[in-house]
Amino acid sequence: IPAMKVAELRKIFGLRPFKPLEIVLDNGLRYVVPHPEAILISDDLVACVPPGHSGPEFMAPEAISAVRPAPSRSGEESASAKG
């Protein structure tokens, strides 16, 4: 799976109306981004504050393997909440 490019991430998270998205990392961890204000994308760092987390999660853009619609609240729980 090719790594996400910063320009792609900015485009995806800049879409309006915004819908919650899930970031999938190449190590299998997943983080939900519920609002566009809950993510920061720079050239070499992505930071997001997933629901239920007390602070931000940091990741390299190249570690992001996919961005997809977030699962529904009644559906599957993010792997990051398990570990």
Side-chain angles (χ1 to χ4, degrees):
I1 300 173
M4 299 292 290
K5 302 255 192 266
V6 171
E8 292 174 282
L9 292 170
R10 288 184 175 137
K11 181 178 177 182
I12 291 167
F13 284 99
L15 292 174
R16 299 294 182 270
F18 185 85
K19 294 185 180 176
L21 296 168
E22 181 178 63
I23 295 172
V24 181
L25 301 183
D26 55 10
N27 65 5
L29 288 177
R30 297 173 291 168
Y31 299 104
V32 172
V33 179
H35 304 286
E37 297 85 12
I39 189 162
L40 172 86
I41 302 168
S42 73
D43 290 341
D44 55 2
L45 181 73
V46 175
C48 69
V49 181
H53 289 237
S54 60
E57 297 290 338
F58 298 96
M59 62 210 74
E62 60 269 14
I64 299 172
S65 59
V67 175
R68 59 188 180 204
S72 66
R73 289 183 182 259
S74 61
E76 174 182 328
E77 189 175 337
S78 173
S80 64
K82 298 176 187 172

